[in-house]
Amino acid sequence: MSLLAWITLFCVIGGVLSVVAAGAFLVLPQAWRTRALPHMVSFAVGALLGAAFLGLLPHALAGAGPEQLHLISAWVLLGILIFFLLEKLVLWRHCHTTHCEVHGHEEHAVPHKNHAHTTSGALVIFGDAVHNYIDGMLIGAAFMTDIHLGVVTSLAVAAHEIPQELGNFAVLLESGYRRARAFSVSVASSFATVAGGLTAYFALAGVAAVLPYVLAVAASSFIYVAVADLIPGLHQRAELRATVQQTVLIASGVVVIFVAHTLLH
């Protein structure tokens, strides 16, 4: 199978099929979804951190000289700053609950409630498309470095996309979208992942020298999402039983990425 086919296939898996899987959860009772979502987020934290520290960063640093090591480290820091700014612009933050304060739920402002709901839905769709496009570029860059790394990166993206899309669905439904429309616009947004992968393939072809820096930015995005976005939500449940469950699931995510990376090699 050609490299372009690999990138396209796994961008579909990481983007479109993740939305379909999340959509399937909509048929489950609300209580089940509420119970399952924190566990999925915990697993996603481990998958993202495992992919960043066991896959992306080692490949970015492999064969790098002393000067490149400093540059790659600098790009990791720059990437974290970039995603911080994107979050400030409400283009990156994910919704993992029904009431997402980041995307404009201002329920106290009763006279403007319909406007706030419309705005929140539009922001979710636009921000999701931007994030999916960047995820696609990162998947494409990973495949152009190593097919095994591309598979592992795609698995980490998919692990995170499912709970993210569930949260997005919740916000869209709260914003007045019907289920069919919320699902259709989410699927349309997910194709930005494929567009990002194709962009990476054609833009980075023949410039292998920049791939380590792209992988560094990819690692920074995974680290930022896990640490700044997902983990704070887990701290909302501080009881011992929840902490043990979260720790086990985070470790499971890391182990799955490690095993997948090892087996693929």
Side-chain angles (χ1 to χ4, degrees), residues 48-49 52-53 57 76 80 218-228:
L48 289 171
L49 293 178
F53 287 104
L57 282 177
V76 174
I80 291 174
S220 69
S221 77
F222 283 11
I223 295 168
Y224 186 86
V225 169
V227 174

Side-chain angles (χ1 to χ4, degrees), residues 125-223:
I125 297 166
F126 181 65
D128 192 42
V130 172
H131 190 132
N132 289 336
Y133 182 81
I134 295 174
D135 276 346
M137 290 194 68
L138 302 183
I139 290 173
F143 269 106
M144 294 180 73
T145 303
D146 181 82
I147 288 180
H148 308 118
L149 178 63
V151 173
V152 168
T153 302
S154 302
L155 291 176
V157 168
H160 174 49
E161 283 294 319
I162 295 174
Q164 174 197 332
E165 293 298 341
L166 277 172
N168 288 348
F169 281 141
V171 175
L172 291 174
L173 293 174
E174 281 286 301
S175 300
Y177 286 69
R178 295 182 181 274
R179 287 196 177 193
R181 188 185 176 201
F183 180 74
S184 63
V185 296
S186 296
V187 169
S189 173
S190 71
F191 277 100
T193 308
V194 179
L198 296 177
T199 299
Y201 177 79
F202 290 108
L204 300 178
V207 283
V210 306
L211 285 176
Y213 306 105
V214 177
L215 295 182
V217 174
S220 69
S221 77
F222 283 11
I223 295 168

Side-chain angles (χ1 to χ4, degrees), residues 49-70:
L49 293 178
F53 287 104
L54 302 179
L56 293 166
L57 282 177
H59 277 82
L61 296 170
E67 294 182 0
Q68 286 179 303
L69 289 177
H70 287 86

Side-chain angles (χ1 to χ4, degrees), residues 32-107:
W32 290 15
R33 298 201 304 269
T34 301
R35 191 178 303 119
L37 189 57
H39 301 316
M40 297 170 68
V41 170
S42 297
F43 181 84
V45 169
L48 289 171
L49 293 178
F53 287 104
L54 302 179
L56 293 166
L57 282 177
H59 277 82
L61 296 170
E67 294 182 0
Q68 286 179 303
L69 289 177
H70 287 86
L71 283 174
I72 290 171
S73 298
W75 273 94
V76 174
L77 292 174
L78 179 61
I80 291 174
L81 177 60
I82 289 172
F83 297 116
F84 169 77
L85 294 175
L86 285 174
E87 182 175 334
K88 285 291 188 180
L89 296 172
V90 202
L91 298 179
W92 192 255
R93 186 76 171 182
H94 305 316
C95 296
H96 297 96
T97 61
T98 301
H99 302 289
C100 180
E101 72 283 357
V102 179
H103 286 112
H105 278 271
E106 300 177 1
E107 297 185 1

